[in-house]
């Protein structure tokens, strides 16, 4: 099979593209303190069940971050594929809280609108947030429905069987409960 | 006091080290106006010969009788300047040093403020030095006998060096044989010479040397005294076989009622079995068996026919009633060469040691490839099959904040060595998994190159896990390594037959106990701390106690032997000097004021204070006192005084430093 | 040993994980342990919420801890692994970061809620292991096990990163508890691997692949069922088996139960009270193991 040759993309990075000050700020955030102690040993990516689907994997995200490549980090799909299983964090020989570092990047990506539009994972996070914000509790049905509507409504057709199974076994709650009074909830949707 | 105080003050620039942050000229001018100051100068390098000559000259010309030098830390040059005083004809203790470098110029940025601080410190010294009295250094004789603790390669080498120099050496070893870890190794890196071939002749020399008393299966249980005059108690565990009667025929082992070995053989890392009566390995020194009371039938039930005793016959070397004994010896110096322990691989559960039988530690592989090991050098898995693929995982229990944060220094090279030996023995595919390969020794990098050319795989990545999870039939029945190949940039799964864990080196579990017994300090990781990392690497903070080998930090055999030689040389230097000088900054008891309350006695960290039942007074051994001042502060009646730190001197210094405020 | 606990079921236990709620309540009742549900508890601040707004996630989570501090019983039980993790993480961050502690403290004070001191976040498995003990479990287990051996699946968030009583990399409490109840188990290397979390909803191909690998390895090791400690793990492994059969062509159909269901069964609770009818996969096996022997017992009486 012939590979299409492509000479339009260069892989060199210029130092002007890096933002070391951003890296320092990241390392000062709670949970991100260990950023600069990374050995680049790869035990995080090695143990991560999702790294095989990621564009960079946790090791390279940490490497990019501490060199200040903000755009690459926040645009990556790696940070969104992180399922928060904490395997990297418990394996890390430098005890870097890699999962918390990922959370930090997810939040910054959302704040800076730097994630791919109609990408289901950040949309799910936002809809989860919105439902909790309104009701104080979440409702799996509502969150998934809203996520699907915002990203790819066709996906609902692939979910019918599971939905039916859940309904049949009494595990699908269509009505969501609304708490009378829960303080501290934010005023606006994400 | 009728004497007229005439003080000289010398402020050092230390190139720009001090002068860049402290206005040295202003300090000198300021000092010139202080009471009693006759001469005040500044100079580029006070520690240089011309700098010292200035002091000597001024003592003569200006009849100076007190000297203050404001420069660096007394650790560096107090001795230099004291010598200059002595050469100038002044008692060397009529001197005070002010540290305006480490404690001023190096730690401040604000020049005017740093200059004021320097002036304050100089003023304090000028006030205090006026009260100094002439003192003389004490001296204690040094005993020529040496104790070496630990009979691995470090202890063996140190003991032989000292013994060859004609000194009497006591070598104490905890295990039934000397040889240490090196005796278990197959080959040594990078030269691949046989470890036993180079070690066992030295072990035999220890046994044969008329100047060495070897006590194996023994431990030092108490250390009293001080440099030159240590009193050491050695506890000798019963081995139930009399060393002086045993001829080493080993017929007793043959005769044991257990026809086959049945208990974990410690020397072979549990890969073979031994009998209750055994010798750790064929070339063990002393060549005397030992009986393990935990497993011997006679000790457990009293109902054994004692065929070992029969086999020994007329020699009567076996004594099942043997008791623990103690020996008390007097030595002048001590060399500690107690070695290390290997990291317990169970503590890194992600690698499956103890779960999957074909996960081994490196030390187990050393025995497995060894011709006199449990399989006579045949490398086979637990099921007897020869491995076709082997993974060697580096940094197990090293460079890891979850267990040991330090680099164990030898694992890279021993992993390369084992890779070579395994390849040689089995022709298997060998995969090394590393974070960084560290080969900075002589011939090490060349060895690494050789291994690459032998076709050994080197994959940069810390292995995430070893499992028996078979993803597809190609992995069925294998141990599967999951790792990110960080250089290629993707995760890999590599099925292998055998996994070798390159376990790191750590301090012995009882290192803290030993530390206390010998009055040492430990670094944060628990290895014994040397006096200075660069300039006194084998000395300790306890005079007369030296370190050799991996008890100080992980090191390979060449470095261990070099350090053992250095420790022996340090001990010899002390012995040949015949005596040691001791600082006169010691404390002493004013007998007329002492109430005999004994408050001071438990406070002394050096056990230097004794209480006389006859006079009911405390007294301080000047050779033991380290001048820490704890007793001075604790004495309720103020009857303990310390040279160079009496109350008057300290108050004068405090008043001096504060009088500008 | 406390007999009374505050209870935080969490949102999942009211919908997809309702069988978990039912079986934990049934099991605790059999052991004379009382659960007092926190009044008006709210979302724990879970994973997804944490991805948007950390600050308010901590305050939200802290409110539940504060409700427990106010309640009579300061041991707060939560069966959901995600809730367990988030509540513990909140305590950890409040302890270690003064800025977060201040924000949380101010929020609670404004609502007249007490600080979260002294609350212990507990998981039912850990309570069974430590408070009840293997001996009592052994004695309380009255039904002999008729089924096949079971693979214990811990998933991630119960053992990572906060793991107070079990071994983080190789947890064994579930196996020990099940063994004490006379239920045989099989060891499998994927017991703490990730089930995919919410990826089954967002990127089904990826999420279901993770589910598939776990199911397949458990079956390869000879397990007849999988038990879990987390509503999301149970849902993911249970609900997508039909899809997985379709995509892989492999005949995978294995019951995925809560540890509280099999233990409750061993201790004599009836199938319905444990929510055993709510499982989607392995229905035939469940019928064989539980419903049939329940009928047998009734006939016997």
């Amino acid at each position: 099979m012939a590979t299409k040759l492509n000479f339009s993309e260069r892989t060199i990075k210029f130092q002007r593209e890096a933002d070391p000050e951003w890296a320092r700020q990241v390392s000062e955030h709670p949970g991100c303190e260990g950023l600069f102690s990374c050995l680049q040993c790869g035990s995080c990516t090695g143990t991560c069940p999702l790294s095989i689907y990621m564009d960079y994997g946790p090791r390279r995200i940490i490497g990019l971050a501490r060199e200040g490549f903000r755009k690459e980090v926040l645009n990556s799909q790696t940070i969104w594929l992180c399922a928060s299983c904490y395997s990297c964090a418990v394996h890390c020989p430098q005890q870097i809280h890699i999962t918390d570092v990922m959370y930090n990047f997810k939040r910054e990506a959302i704040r800076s609108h730097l994630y791919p539009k109609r990408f289901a994972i950040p949309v799910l996070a936002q809809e989860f947030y919105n439902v909790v914000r309104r009701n104080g509790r979440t409702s799996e049905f509502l969150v998934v429905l809203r996520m699907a509507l915002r990203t790819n409504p066709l996906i609902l057709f692939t979910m019918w069987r599971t939905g039916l199974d859940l309904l049949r076994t009494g595990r699908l709650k269509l009505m969501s409960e609304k708490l009378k009074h829960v303080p501290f909830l934010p005023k606006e949707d994400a | 006091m009728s004497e007229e105080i005439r003080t000289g003050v010398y402020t050092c620039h230390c190139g720009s080290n001090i002068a860049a942050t402290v206005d040295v000229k202003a300090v000198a001018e300021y000092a010139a106006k202080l009471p009693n100051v006759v001469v005040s100068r500044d100079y580029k390098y006070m520690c240089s010969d011309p700098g010292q000559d200035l002091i000597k000259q001024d003592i003569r010309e200006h009849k100076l009788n007190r000297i203050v030098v404001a420069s660096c830390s007394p650790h560096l040059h107090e001795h230099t300047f004291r010598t200059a005083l002595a050469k100038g004809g002044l008692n060397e203790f009529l001197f005070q040093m002010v540290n305006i470098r480490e404690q001023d110029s190096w730690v401040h940025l604000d020049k005017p403020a740093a200059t004021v601080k320097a002036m304050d410190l100089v003023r304090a010294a000028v006030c205090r030095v006026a009260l100094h009295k002439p003192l003389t250094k004490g001296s204690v004789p040094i005993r020529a006998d040496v104790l070496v603790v630990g009979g691995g390669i470090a202890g063996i080498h140190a003991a032989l060096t000292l013994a060859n120099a004609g000194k009497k050496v006591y070598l104490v070893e905890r295990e039934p044989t000397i040889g240490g870890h090196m005796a278990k190794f197959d080959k040594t890196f990078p030269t691949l010479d046989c470890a036993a071939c180079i070690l066992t002749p030295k072990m035999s020399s220890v046994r044969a040397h008329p100047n060495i008393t070897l006590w194996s299966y023994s431990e030092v249980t108490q250390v009293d005294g001080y440099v030159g005059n240590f009193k050491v108690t050695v506890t000798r565990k019963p081995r139930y076989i009399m060393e002086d009667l045993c001829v080493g025929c080993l017929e007793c082992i043959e005769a044991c009622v257990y026809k086959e070995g049945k208990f974990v053989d410690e020397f072979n890392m549990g890969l073979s079995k031994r009998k209750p009566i055994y010798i750790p390995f064929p070339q063990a020194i002393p060549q005397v068996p030992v009986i393990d009371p935990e497993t011997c039938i006679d000790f457990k039930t009293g109902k054994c026919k004692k065929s070992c005793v029969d086999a020994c016959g007329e020699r009567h070397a076996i004594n099942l009633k043997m008791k623990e004994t103690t020996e008390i010896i007097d030595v002048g110096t001590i060399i500690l060469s107690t070695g290390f322990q290997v990291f317990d691989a169970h503590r890194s559960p992600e690698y499956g040691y103890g779960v999957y039988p074909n996960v081994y530690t490196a030390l187990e592989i050393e025995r497995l490839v060894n011709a006199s090991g449990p399989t006579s050098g045949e490398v086979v898995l637990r099921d007897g099959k020869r491995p076709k693929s082997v993974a060697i995982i580096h940094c197990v229990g090293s460079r890891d904040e979850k267990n040991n944060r330090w680099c164990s220094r030898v694992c890279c090279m021993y992993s390369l060595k084992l890779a070579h030996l395994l390849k040689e023995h089995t022709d298997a595919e060998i995969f090394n998994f590393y974070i960084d390969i560290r080969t900075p020794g002589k011939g090490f990098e060349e060895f690494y190159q050789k291994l690459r050319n032998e076709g050994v795989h080197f994959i940069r990545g810390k292995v995430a896990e070893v499992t028996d999870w078979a993803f597809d039939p190609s992995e069925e029945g294998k141990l599967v390594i999951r790792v990110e190949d960080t250089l290629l940039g993707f995760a890999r799964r590599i099925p292998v037959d055998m996994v070798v864990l390159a376990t790191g080196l750590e301090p012995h579990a009882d290192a803290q106990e030993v530390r206390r017994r010998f009055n040492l300090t430990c670094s944060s990781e628990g290895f014994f701390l040397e006096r200075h990392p660069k300039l006194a690497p084998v000395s300790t903070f306890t005079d007369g106690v030296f370190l050799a080998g991996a008890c100080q930090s992980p090191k390979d055999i060449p470095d261990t032997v070099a350090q053992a030689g250095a420790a022996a040389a340090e001990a010899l230097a002390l012995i040949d000097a015949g005596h040691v000088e001791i600082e006169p900054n010691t404390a002493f008891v004013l007998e007329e004021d002492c109430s005999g309350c004994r408050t001071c006695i438990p406070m002394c960290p050096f056990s230097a204070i004794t209480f006389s039942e006859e006079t009911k007074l405390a007294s301080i051994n000047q050779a033991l006192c380290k001048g820490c001042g704890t007793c001075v502060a604790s004495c309720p009646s103020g009857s303990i005084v310390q040279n160079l730190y009496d109350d008057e001197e300290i108050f004068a210094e405090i008043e001096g430093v504060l009088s500008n405020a | 040993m406390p007999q009374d606990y505050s209870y935080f079921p969490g949102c999942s236990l009211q919908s997809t994980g309702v069988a978990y709620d039912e079986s934990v309540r049934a099991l605790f009742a059999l052991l004379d342990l009382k659960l007092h549900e926190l009044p008006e508890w709210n979302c724990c601040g879970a994973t997804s919420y944490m991805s948007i707004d950390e600050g308010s996630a901590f305050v939200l989570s802290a409110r539940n801890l504060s409700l427990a501090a106010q309640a009579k019983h300061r041991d707060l039980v939560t069966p959901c692994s995600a809730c367990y993790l988030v509540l513990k993480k909140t305590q950890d961050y409040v302890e270690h970061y003064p800025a977060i502690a201040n924000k949380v403290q101010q929020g609670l004070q404004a609502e007249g809620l007490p600080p979260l001191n002294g609350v212990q976040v507990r998981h039912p498995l850990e309570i069974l292991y430590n408070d009840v003990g293997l001996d009592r479990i052994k004695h309380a287990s009255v039904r002999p096990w008729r089924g096949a051996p079971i693979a214990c699946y811990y998933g991630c968030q119960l053992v990572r990163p906060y793991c107070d009583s079990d071994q983080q990399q190789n947890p064994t409490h579930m196996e020990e508890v099940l063994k004490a109840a006379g239920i045989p188990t099989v060891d499998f290397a994927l017991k703490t691997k990730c089930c995919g979390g919410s990826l089954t909803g967002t990127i089904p191909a990826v999420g279901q692949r993770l589910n598939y690998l776990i199911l397949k390895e458990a079956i390869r090791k000879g397990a007849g069922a999988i038990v879990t400690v987390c509503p999301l793990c149970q849902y993911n492994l249970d609900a997508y088996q039909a899809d997985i059969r379709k995509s892989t062509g492999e005949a995978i159909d294995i019951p995925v139960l809560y540890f509280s269901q099999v233990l409750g069964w061993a201790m004599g609770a009836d199938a319905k009270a444990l929510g055993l009818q709510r499982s989607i996969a392995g229905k035939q096996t469940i019928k064989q193991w539980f419903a049939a022997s329940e009928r047998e017992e009734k006939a016997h009486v």
Side-chain angles (χ1 to χ4, degrees), chain C residues 182-201:
Chain C
I183 303 168
T185 60
V186 297
D187 215 16
F188 84 128
L190 304 188
K191 65 181 174 184
T192 61
K193 284 278 169 269
C194 175
C195 72
S198 56
L199 285 170
T200 44

Side-chain angles (χ1 to χ4, degrees), chain B residues 48-95:
Chain B
S48 66
D49 281 349
Q52 295 178 53
D53 288 342
L54 271 181
I55 299 176
K56 287 183 236 170
Q57 212 177 316
D58 285 348
I59 292 172
R60 279 194 299 274
E61 286 177 13
H62 296 277
K63 301 199 167 38
L64 300 181
N65 54 19
R66 297 291 187 280
I67 303 292
V68 170
V69 177
S71 57
C72 55
S73 163
H75 273 301
L76 284 156
H77 280 303
E78 189 174 58
H79 181 73
T80 311
F81 296 125
R82 281 182 175 176
T83 310
L85 261 73
K87 284 189 181 154
L90 206 57
N91 181 282
E92 59 185 307
F93 295 98
L94 297 171
F95 167 73

Side-chain angles (χ1 to χ4, degrees), chain B residues 349-350 356 465 467-471 476, chain C residues 169 189-190 193 209 213 216-217 220-221:
Chain B
E350 63 272 32
Y356 306 120
E465 61 204 14
T467 64
D468 66 347
W469 170 36
F471 183 80
E476 201 72 51
Chain C
Q169 308 230 25
L190 304 188
K193 284 278 169 269
R209 172 83 183 167
L213 294 175
K216 194 174 119 174
E217 178 65 4
R220 187 182 79 97
K221 284 292 200 150

